[in-house]
Amino acid sequence: VFCLVVSAAVAWLTLQARLPGTPAGQVFKVAFGAAVVGHALSHVLESIWKGLPWSTTARFTFDGLLYAATTAGTFAWLWPASF
Protein backbone atom coordinates (compact mmCIF):
# COMPACT_ATOMS: atom_id res chain seq x y z
CA VAL A 1 0.00 0.00 0.00
CA PHE A 2 2.88 2.36 0.82
CA CYS A 3 4.37 1.88 -2.66
CA LEU A 4 1.02 2.71 -4.23
CA VAL A 5 0.72 5.89 -2.16
CA VAL A 6 4.25 6.97 -3.11
CA SER A 7 3.57 6.14 -6.77
CA ALA A 8 0.38 8.21 -6.72
CA ALA A 9 2.30 11.17 -5.27
CA VAL A 10 5.06 10.69 -7.87
CA ALA A 11 2.45 10.59 -10.65
CA TRP A 12 0.88 13.84 -9.47
CA LEU A 13 4.24 15.62 -9.05
CA THR A 14 5.55 14.40 -12.40
CA LEU A 15 2.38 15.48 -14.17
CA GLN A 16 2.72 18.94 -12.63
CA ALA A 17 6.31 19.21 -13.88
CA ARG A 18 6.11 17.48 -17.27
CA LEU A 19 3.35 17.41 -19.88
CA PRO A 20 2.34 14.36 -21.92
CA GLY A 21 4.76 13.92 -24.81
CA THR A 22 7.83 14.85 -22.76
CA PRO A 23 10.90 12.73 -23.59
CA ALA A 24 11.33 9.70 -21.35
CA GLY A 25 14.66 10.91 -19.93
CA GLN A 26 13.10 14.07 -18.53
CA VAL A 27 10.18 12.14 -17.10
CA PHE A 28 12.61 9.70 -15.46
CA LYS A 29 14.58 12.52 -13.79
CA VAL A 30 11.51 14.16 -12.26
CA ALA A 31 9.89 10.87 -11.22
CA PHE A 32 13.16 9.54 -9.77
CA GLY A 33 13.67 12.65 -7.66
CA ALA A 34 10.15 12.48 -6.29
CA ALA A 35 10.34 8.74 -5.66
CA VAL A 36 13.68 9.05 -3.81
CA VAL A 37 12.03 11.38 -1.32
CA GLY A 38 9.25 8.89 -0.68
CA HIS A 39 11.19 5.64 -0.74
CA ALA A 40 14.76 6.38 0.34
CA LEU A 41 14.96 9.45 2.54
CA SER A 42 12.29 8.55 5.06
CA HIS A 43 14.63 6.26 6.99
CA VAL A 44 17.22 8.95 7.61
CA LEU A 45 14.85 10.62 10.06
CA GLU A 46 14.51 7.37 11.99
CA SER A 47 18.28 7.26 12.50
CA ILE A 48 18.39 10.88 13.60
CA TRP A 49 15.41 10.91 15.93
CA LYS A 50 14.77 7.29 16.91
CA GLY A 51 18.31 5.93 17.08
CA LEU A 52 18.02 3.41 14.25
CA PRO A 53 21.53 2.20 13.42
CA TRP A 54 23.03 4.01 10.43
CA SER A 55 24.02 0.71 8.84
CA THR A 56 20.35 -0.26 8.74
CA THR A 57 19.46 3.13 7.30
CA ALA A 58 22.11 2.68 4.60
CA ARG A 59 20.55 -0.65 3.57
CA PHE A 60 17.03 0.81 3.59
CA THR A 61 18.22 3.81 1.58
CA PHE A 62 19.84 1.53 -1.00
CA ASP A 63 16.59 -0.44 -1.27
CA GLY A 64 14.70 2.85 -1.58
CA LEU A 65 16.94 3.92 -4.45
CA LEU A 66 16.14 0.65 -6.24
CA TYR A 67 12.41 1.19 -5.67
CA ALA A 68 12.75 4.79 -6.89
CA ALA A 69 14.58 3.70 -10.05
CA THR A 70 11.93 1.06 -10.74
CA THR A 71 9.14 3.59 -10.20
CA ALA A 72 10.81 6.21 -12.40
CA GLY A 73 11.56 3.68 -15.12
CA THR A 74 7.95 2.57 -15.16
CA PHE A 75 6.73 6.16 -15.38
CA ALA A 76 9.19 6.97 -18.20
CA TRP A 77 8.15 3.82 -20.09
CA LEU A 78 4.40 4.39 -19.73
CA TRP A 79 4.35 8.21 -20.01
CA PRO A 80 1.65 9.22 -22.53
CA ALA A 81 2.53 10.65 -25.92
CA SER A 82 1.41 14.18 -26.73
CA PHE A 83 -2.21 14.59 -27.68
Side-chain angles (χ1 to χ4, degrees), residues 14 18-19 22-32 72 75-77 79:
T14 305
R18 299 291 182 244
L19 296 174
T22 301
Q26 292 181 12
V27 172
F28 183 88
K29 286 191 283 187
V30 172
F32 183 74
F75 273 82
W77 172 47
W79 197 252

Side-chain angles (χ1 to χ4, degrees), residues 35-61:
V36 164
V37 172
H39 287 300
L41 297 182
S42 59
H43 300 290
V44 173
L45 294 176
E46 292 183 16
S47 285
I48 293 171
W49 297 110
K50 295 180 182 176
L52 187 71
W54 283 100
S55 60
T56 303
T57 297
R59 287 193 302 269
F60 286 157
T61 301

